[in-house]
Amino acid sequence: MIAPSVLSADFLNLGRDVDMINNSEADLFHVDVMDGRFVPNISFGLPVIKAIKKLARKPLDVHLMIVEPEKYFQDFKNAGADILSVHYEASTHLHRSLQAIKALGMKAGVAINPHTPVSLLADIINDTDLVCMMSVNPGFGGQSFIPNTINKIKELRQIINEKGASTLIEIDGGVTLENAAALKAAGADVLVAGNTVFTAEDPIKTIAELQRLSK
Ligand code: DX5
Ligand code: ZN
């Protein structure tokens, strides 16, 4: 699956960019929420997500890069999130958070920073619908891919198989036309792409190309 990241969209023409994603082969909208505390950047919040939801014809995959995410689950549900991911590093009671997200009718995701070993997910993987594996340090679009992510994908795929889980592996950060096939081969299910899609001359064609490379 391909999930273009709205963080790299043109906010003055957000409707146009949402429509472009609607009309493309993309599967999901990846929506990055940053609070200036968990990450050193602030992106956008609930009103913008509500606006995107009005026009979006594909599910919203909302990635919370915020501290105390559990305070806002209901708000993100109301804003239109279909998948809601919290950071492992921001969650003291991760199991409780995942259950709360699911109880609200959303798919529950866990995001992990590049320094967080995937082995830490072994006891939570069966409760996790999606792992958002950061392949850059979270906070900014347009950074370069951290190569060790490939090893982490393989290791996580093994844990998922051993545990008989149906968790999706999503790769977030630095995804390009050059590395998409290798990510798929290592075991990734969902590729997030911000910079690669939105700096392309023809974003629709680039999304189609990413789909083809990761089939
Ligand atoms: C980074 C965000 C990513 C970002 C990816 O903190 O979580 O979703 O938008 O952007 P690119 O694809 O440009 O690395
Ligand atoms: Zn993200």
Side-chain angles (χ1 to χ4, degrees):
M1 286 191 269
I2 301 299
S5 174
V6 173
L7 186 63
S8 297
D10 175 357
F11 295 140
L12 271 180
N13 293 287
L14 189 53
R16 181 202 64 194
D17 283 355
V18 169
D19 250 337
M20 179 279 289
I21 297 173
N22 279 338
N23 295 326
S24 76
E25 289 176 37
D27 301 282
L28 302 167
F29 286 79
H30 187 79
V31 180
D32 289 309
V33 179
M34 306 179 184
D35 66 353
R37 294 191 61 211
F38 181 73
V39 287
N41 194 13
I42 297 176
S43 57
F44 48 75
L46 297 160
V48 173
I49 297 176
K50 260 183 209 156
I52 294 171
K53 186 68 178 181
K54 278 191 196 154
L55 201 59
R57 295 199 307 267
K58 297 170 186 190
L60 301 194
D61 165 35
V62 178
H63 174 195
L64 298 182
M65 284 161 273
I66 66 175
V67 299
E68 301 182 298
E70 59 282 354
K71 284 188 180 170
Y72 306 100
F73 292 164
Q74 181 73 63
D75 293 327
F76 282 103
K77 169 69 186 174
N78 295 346
D82 297 284
I83 305 170
L84 194 62
S85 296
V86 296
H87 262 268
Y88 179 91
E89 303 83 5
S91 305
T92 310
H93 301 287
L94 185 57
H95 184 273
R96 178 182 289 150
S97 288
L98 297 179
Q99 304 314 317
I101 292 169
K102 289 190 224 175
L104 288 167
M106 296 176 281
K107 298 269 187 214
V110 177
I112 57 168
N113 280 338
H115 74 271
T116 300
V118 293
S119 57
L120 290 174
L121 299 175
D123 288 306
I124 198 73
I125 202 72
N126 292 94
D127 299 288
T128 306
D129 294 311
L130 172 142
V131 171
C132 175
M133 188 185 290
M134 295 308 305
S135 36
V136 298
N137 283 294
F140 304 92
Q143 304 181 77
S144 27
F145 181 82
I146 298 172
N148 184 49
T149 310
I150 296 279
N151 301 322
K152 291 179 75 175
I153 299 171
K154 291 180 188 161
E155 205 185 321
L156 181 59
R157 175 55 59 203
Q158 204 173 332
I159 293 171
I160 290 170
N161 291 347
E162 275 166 17
K163 298 277 182 181
S166 49
T167 315
L168 296 175
I169 302 179
E170 174 178 69
I171 304 306
D172 189 8
V175 171
T176 63
L177 293 170
E178 287 69 41
N179 62 22
L183 295 171
K184 171 67 185 175
D189 302 296
V190 185
L191 303 183
V192 174
N195 203 50
T196 293
V197 166
F198 286 99
T199 63
E201 220 167 279
D202 187 342
I204 296 222
K205 202 172 137 204
T206 300
I207 292 168
E209 188 77 349
L210 284 168
Q211 280 289 10
R212 193 183 59 73
L213 288 165
S214 57
K215 274 274 175 322

